[in-house]
Amino acid sequence: MATSAEMSGTVQQIESIIQTIESKIEVSSQQHSPASNSSSTKSEDSGLDDGPKKSVTSTVSAKPISRKSSRMSQSSGVSLPPVLEQLEHMIISDDWLGNETTTPVGLKQHVQVAKTRSREGQKLSELGRTLVTSASLKSYIDLLSSHHRQSIASWLYGSVNHVFSNLFRFSDSQVYCSDPEATISLSIRNGIGHAIKLALKSSYGTDYATKGWKAFVEQGAPVVYVSPALHMDVSSYLASEFGIADVTILPKLESDLSEIEGRIDHQQFEKILDEDLAAGKKPLILIGVVGTTILGQNDMISKILEIREKKAHFWLHITGQAIAALTFREPNNVLVHVLSQVDSMTFPIALWLGIPSAPVVTLHKSVEGYKASYREKLDSLPWWVASSYLSGKKIVDMIENAFLLSKVMLKGLSAIPEVEIVGVENPVDFANRVYKSKYTAPTVLIFKYNYVSIKNAIQHHKDLIQKNEDHDAISIAEKTLQDELEYGDYLNAWLRDGLLPESQALGIDTIELGGNYGIAFRFCPLEHAATFSSHIDHVQRFVRKLTDIMRIVESTVAAKLKFSELKDDFPSLVLLPIRNWAGIGAVCYIPSIVKETNPEDWNAIQKQQISHLNLELVHQLKSVDAAFSSGDCTRYGVSCVKFGMLSDVKDLHNLVLMVSDKGKEIENSQQYLDSLADLIRQGIEAANEALRKENDQRLQNEGMMRQLPIMGSLVNWWSPLTPESQNIRGRAFNLKTGEMQETDVLFKSKKNSDVTPPKTKNETPQIPHEPSATKLEEEPSQSSSEGEATVAEEVTSSSEETKPAIAAESA
């Protein structure tokens, strides 16, 4: 039996180790924070090469056991054995890790930031430290005498049983705490595995324990039915753990949302059940979901209970977030009546309460012949600590607060017509019914920007298919639909970035729904409210911010529809398709020297000229309005001017006018004309050089005799030259294309080569176009001297009068 001094000393040492580790992690995080540059220590993640890293074994064994390390620990007030110092060092820092996993090029300088962020928010509360300490004391309890430790485990187990049975209104139940796994999903899977173990014992009795798989042969092979809403692969787990091969994923109930997340079709389940019974199989268990993770839907447990009563008995197990509603002070009577008839339920209550290191809980009805083992009883220790620390009232308050946040968020979102709540047809009516307590607040809310063009494109595509239109029309409709879906995702991604500060306090993130739904926001207060200490003020701030930012999105979408209508008013601008962009769109300013050429026929030099002019145009526009940015049009291979988000659709015409005028200003500027004149001069010099080389080659081919006055005539009479050799082809430099051409192929088409334009960022700025930015600033007329103006006029007039091709032929 342990003495009081030993027990007290053990607890103090564990708590001291935890406090030391937390303090050192906090200091390390401050030293490696991106905002802190006071540290002079060279980091291996600074981009410099610190030489080859030491191996894991040598690093771990060398550092912690040194006397220096021991003195450091003693100086911090904690005297640790070398092996615990080694463990402490491994927990505090991950610098000892080897270089087995290579860091991608370009990401090395961000590794330390990732390390620091991975330690953020891990400082334990008083309850967290108590749970960690209790987990260590579990091993201490194992050292006690058999009767002593069995008594402790039984007392803890009985206490936790009583708490959870009353809390979830599940009378005559027993508790099972899943073994901790890397993720909550795996821990829930362990809870499901325990339910299957109980179902096997209930269905096959002692034969399964004594005969194993032979019991399946004698009494029929077990069949496990799984809800389509269970986002977990249990087939391989059941096959390896229990030898069960028949795992049936039940069909989905057909609905508009079934492609996102489905519920059990109970009519199809009844047919499958009849087929399995006729085949001599034995229905073992059905795993249902109440409160799915995406849409918060419920399987129709009442219908499944009716089928079980009529057809055959099987174990009914449920999981999901709606189980939390059983803990309300005034729960829904129908919900309590239905869920109290199931055989077992698994729920991650530690996640709902924001408690670290606590296992997932499974409540189940008593099974004849089953008795919890000592280890299973002792595993309830963390929940005895948590329930004693929080009390049942505090647990109920935290869960009810999460549902209250969901109710307030639903009310706020329903008041914004531009927001679509996925799965809710009439948000205003539904919110009113929730506030009147006719419905329980949803466990999860999925919402997004209501982009009407997507729904119109979907309906148009369906109409064409139903009318059996030609394949080309359907293909065009599919392409339009995909473009609209893509743009809708860009808009929601822009919203995500703009709402990031308000979203963090609520744990709101974005998910990919798939199908025709794309990206959406997910709000699940049960998972995050306790962890982030979320309250109603956070929800109200988020709704206010969403309302303000939604006006910008609406103005941008309206401006995008009018964008193409302005192209006739500005012939120098060409609308270009652009990807990965939530703004209004993109245009390309076309210089007058290239205007007559079709964009499909632009060659390499023309693309380069256009790209350089538009990059300079963006540079000047950004000094006036930061919402402008440069982009790349992959279709034509040129740089373009991208319009960002717009706060008022009335400013669209002025913005486009500003782009057109700025482009003309750059095109007519002295710098641009000088570059054009330099291009012409280089072309003429290249033409002369080509003619000189051709003339030298001709003289070499004709020979010396043909160049002599009298002898040349005699040689030419005796052996005349062919017309091909006498034809001297001139050279032409095309101002529109910037290419050197031979005069005999001047008017022949030439296949253009592709040129990769300069790469630019493809992110929509959060700052929209401001109305004040659309006002053009007057350029001072005295900025250039009279001489410069005269030169500009001469160059302009000469460039306008010059023909497209300047030919330089030899005399």
Side-chain angles (χ1 to χ4, degrees):
M1 182 177 296
T3 64
S4 176
E6 289 178 346
M7 193 68 184
S8 177
T10 302
V11 172
Q12 288 180 2
Q13 187 176 33
I14 294 172
E15 291 181 345
S16 299
I17 293 174
I18 294 173
Q19 291 177 359
T20 302
I21 290 174
E22 285 197 322
S23 62
K24 290 185 177 181
I25 287 178
E26 187 175 0
V27 171
S28 177
S29 299
Q30 293 175 355
Q31 289 178 348
H32 295 291
S33 174
S36 174
N37 55 5
S38 59
S39 177
S40 60
T41 305
K42 183 173 68 172
S43 170
E44 66 177 11
D45 302 309
S46 62
L48 302 177
D49 187 10
D50 292 337
K53 295 182 179 180
K54 299 180 181 179
S55 64
V56 178
T57 305
S58 61
T59 307
V60 173
S61 60
K63 274 190 176 180
I65 303 181
S66 65
R67 294 181 177 273
K68 180 180 180 181
S69 176
S70 178
R71 286 195 300 269
M72 289 174 62
S73 296
Q74 292 175 2
S75 64
S76 63
V78 183
S79 179
L80 300 177
V83 65
L84 290 184
E85 288 186 20
Q86 177 177 332
L87 182 60
E88 176 189 318
H89 173 74
M90 293 170 64
I91 294 174
I92 292 172
S93 173
D94 53 7
D95 294 337
W96 56 271
L97 291 174
N99 198 21
E100 295 87 355
T101 305
T102 57
T103 304
V105 178
L107 297 180
K108 184 176 181 181
Q109 63 272 25
H110 303 297
V111 174
Q112 187 59 52
V113 177
K115 291 177 183 177
T116 304
R117 290 177 179 174
S118 69
R119 294 189 289 262
E120 287 179 358
Q122 292 188 5
K123 189 171 183 178
L124 296 175
S125 62
E126 183 180 351
L127 174 58
R129 288 195 298 270
T130 306
L131 286 172
V132 174
T133 304
S134 66
S136 303
L137 293 180
K138 284 174 61 177
S139 301
Y140 196 94
I141 294 174
D142 288 336
L143 303 177
L144 304 176
S145 64
S146 176
H147 176 71
H148 191 180
R149 64 172 181 260
Q150 288 282 358
S151 300
I152 294 176
S154 298
W155 187 84
L156 294 173
Y157 184 74
S159 178
V160 173
N161 246 343
H162 178 73
V163 170
F164 281 113
S165 296
N166 292 336
L167 191 63
F168 289 89
R169 292 171 170 82
F170 204 58
S171 60
D172 190 27
S173 64
Q174 293 178 278
V175 68
Y176 171 79
C177 298
S178 302
D179 295 332
E181 294 284 354
T183 62
I184 293 179
S185 296
L186 293 178
S187 297
I188 293 176
R189 190 188 67 178
N190 289 340
I192 294 174
H194 183 71
I196 291 175
K197 176 183 175 182
L198 296 173
L200 288 170
K201 196 170 190 63
S202 176
S203 298
Y204 291 91
T206 58
D207 288 348
Y208 175 71
T210 56
K211 298 180 180 179
W213 62 268
K214 291 184 179 180
F216 298 163
V217 178
E218 295 174 358
Q219 302 184 34
V223 182
V224 176
Y225 304 100
V226 181
S227 169
L230 185 69
H231 303 287
M232 190 184 307
D233 181 20
V234 296
S235 300
S236 57
Y237 171 72
L238 298 181
S240 60
E241 292 293 325
F242 304 100
I244 299 176
D246 289 334
V247 178
T248 303
I249 308 297
L250 295 176
K252 296 179 180 180
L253 185 65
E254 289 298 327
S255 67
D256 295 337
L257 301 174
S258 58
E259 61 179 327
I260 300 177
E261 194 173 53
R263 301 188 296 165
I264 295 176
D265 187 339
H266 59 277
Q267 294 180 350
Q268 293 295 325
F269 166 60
E270 192 170 358
K271 294 179 181 179
I272 294 174
L273 187 62
D274 291 336
E275 294 174 358
D276 290 339
L277 290 172
K281 297 180 180 179
K282 193 166 188 174
L284 178 67
I285 186 174
L286 185 145
I287 305 171
V289 179
V290 287
T292 57
T293 56
I294 299 179
L295 297 177
Q297 299 180 121
N298 302 326
D299 287 327
M300 303 176 71
I301 303 300
S302 59
K303 294 289 185 181
I304 296 173
L305 289 170
E306 293 177 4
I307 294 173
R308 182 173 74 167
E309 187 176 352
K310 290 189 304 182
K311 298 292 183 179
H313 186 274
F314 51 83
W315 190 277
L316 180 55
H317 180 82
I318 61 171
T319 185
Q321 298 176 355
I323 298 175
L326 292 172
T327 64
F328 289 177
R329 290 181 174 84
E330 297 179 1
N332 186 287
N333 293 329
V334 177
L335 180 69
V336 175
H337 174 71
V338 172
L339 297 189
S340 62
Q341 299 180 59
V342 303
D343 297 296
S344 58
M345 57 179 68
T346 298
F347 44 87
I349 188 172
L351 179 65
W352 302 342
L353 303 180
I355 300 176
S357 304
V360 170
V361 174
T362 298
L363 288 179
H364 61 85
K365 296 292 181 64
S366 300
V367 177
E368 185 180 355
Y370 169 76
K371 185 178 180 181
S373 65
Y374 158 73
R375 180 55 56 189
E376 291 174 349
K377 293 179 179 179
L378 190 59
D379 286 342
S380 62
L381 173 60
W383 277 116
W384 176 80
V385 173
S387 61
S388 301
Y389 184 90
L390 293 176
S391 76
K393 179 181 180 300
K394 181 66 173 177
I395 293 175
V396 173
D397 289 342
M398 296 173 74
I399 293 178
E400 287 189 343
N401 176 67
F403 279 87
L404 176 61
L405 295 179
S406 176
K407 184 188 297 186
V408 175
M409 179 67 80
L410 174 64
K411 188 72 172 179
L413 295 178
S414 64
I416 307 176
E418 298 85 6
V419 172
E420 174 189 0
I421 303 177
V422 180
V424 180
E425 295 183 359
N426 191 337
V428 176
D429 180 66
F430 180 67
N432 291 334
R433 290 176 180 268
V434 169
Y435 262 82
K436 294 177 181 179
S437 300
K438 294 182 179 180
Y439 296 149
T440 303
T443 57
V444 61
L445 286 171
I446 303 296
F447 58 96
K448 55 185 293 190
Y449 170 65
N450 187 16
Y451 187 36
V452 182
S453 298
I454 293 179
K455 297 180 179 179
N456 296 336
I458 293 174
Q459 187 61 43
H460 178 62
H461 183 248
K462 288 182 179 179
D463 294 342
L464 292 179
I465 294 177
Q466 292 176 356
K467 294 177 182 179
N468 293 324
E469 294 288 342
D470 58 357
H471 182 70
D472 292 339
I474 295 177
S475 298
I476 294 174
E478 289 179 352
K479 177 65 169 57
T480 303
L481 175 59
Q482 292 302 318
D483 291 342
E484 297 294 355
L485 290 172
E486 190 178 69
Y487 184 64
D489 286 346
Y490 299 152
L491 290 173
N492 283 287
W494 183 83
L495 278 173
R496 174 197 60 204
D497 297 338
L499 295 169
L500 187 60
E502 287 74 19
S503 301
Q504 289 177 339
L506 296 171
I508 297 177
D509 55 3
T510 53
I511 60 172
E512 177 64 46
L513 297 178
N516 293 331
Y517 294 93
I519 296 177
F521 293 87
R522 180 178 183 269
F523 175 56
C524 185
L526 267 176
E527 295 179 357
H528 303 102
T531 303
F532 297 124
S533 300
S534 305
H535 48 78
I536 294 178
D537 291 344
H538 291 137
V539 177
Q540 292 174 342
R541 281 198 294 268
F542 177 84
V543 172
R544 285 196 297 267
K545 180 66 174 180
L546 180 62
T547 304
D548 294 338
I549 202 172
M550 199 60 74
R551 298 192 187 99
I552 299 176
V553 176
E554 278 287 287
S555 299
T556 302
V557 171
K560 187 177 179 66
L561 296 176
K562 296 182 178 181
F563 199 43
S564 58
E565 301 174 2
L566 298 176
K567 62 181 180 181
D568 296 335
D569 299 336
F570 302 95
S572 59
L573 300 180
V574 175
L575 271 64
L576 297 181
I578 195 74
R579 300 179 66 87
N580 301 326
W581 191 249
I584 302 170
V587 298
C588 184
Y589 183 86
I590 309 300
S592 56
I593 200 170
V594 190
K595 191 178 300 181
E596 297 177 2
T597 308
N598 191 292
E600 300 288 348
D601 300 328
W602 287 341
N603 60 26
I605 303 299
Q606 289 174 316
K607 292 178 182 179
Q608 189 178 30
Q609 292 174 353
I610 296 171
S611 295
H612 287 172
L613 191 150
N614 281 272
L615 288 174
E616 177 61 26
L617 176 59
V618 171
H619 177 71
Q620 294 194 19
L621 289 172
K622 284 180 72 69
S623 63
V624 179
D625 189 345
F628 284 107
S629 61
S630 60
D632 303 323
C633 177
T634 56
R635 180 175 177 181
Y636 299 121
V638 295
S639 296
C640 56
V641 180
K642 295 196 296 187
F643 289 77
M645 309 299 285
L646 189 61
S647 56
D648 191 348
V649 68
K650 298 178 182 178
D651 299 326
L652 178 61
H653 186 275
N654 292 336
L655 282 173
V656 180
L657 177 63
M658 180 171 67
V659 174
S660 177
D661 292 345
K662 282 285 184 181
K664 291 179 183 178
E665 179 183 330
I666 294 174
E667 184 180 6
N668 296 329
S669 64
Q670 180 67 41
Q671 181 180 2
Y672 181 78
L673 294 175
D674 288 345
S675 63
L676 183 63
D678 185 61
L679 187 65
I680 296 173
R681 181 172 61 254
Q682 292 177 2
I684 295 175
E685 291 175 355
N688 289 329
E689 181 65 19
L691 288 174
R692 186 187 63 78
K693 291 182 179 179
E694 184 174 340
N695 190 48
D696 294 343
Q697 184 67 30
R698 179 183 62 82
L699 293 177
Q700 183 177 357
N701 293 336
E702 291 178 358
M704 181 67 70
M705 299 295 293
R706 294 183 186 273
Q707 312 306 321
L708 299 177
I710 299 176
M711 187 61 67
S713 300
L714 181 62
V715 173
N716 288 333
W717 174 79
W718 180 263
S719 176
L721 295 171
T722 61
E724 290 77 9
S725 61
Q726 288 181 320
N727 182 26
I728 301 176
R729 287 169 284 188
R731 296 294 184 274
F733 175 71
N734 196 316
L735 287 177
K736 290 187 176 182
T737 64
E739 290 183 327
M740 185 67 59
Q741 296 175 330
E742 294 179 352
T743 52
D744 58 348
V745 294
L746 180 61
F747 301 104
K748 292 182 181 179
S749 61
K750 184 177 182 180
K751 188 176 181 180
N752 296 329
S753 59
D754 296 331
V755 171
T756 303
K759 297 296 180 182
T760 55
K761 291 184 179 180
N762 220 358
E763 301 174 355
T764 311
Q766 287 296 319
I767 303 175
H769 293 286
E770 296 296 338
S772 58
T774 61
K775 299 178 181 179
L776 289 174
E777 298 180 0
E778 296 183 359
E779 299 291 340
S781 57
Q782 288 83 10
S783 59
S784 58
S785 62
E786 295 181 357
E788 291 176 343
T790 304
V791 172
E793 291 175 359
E794 291 178 355
V795 176
T796 303
S797 60
S798 63
S799 63
E800 292 175 351
E801 296 174 358
T802 305
K803 294 182 179 180
I806 299 177
E809 298 185 3
S810 61

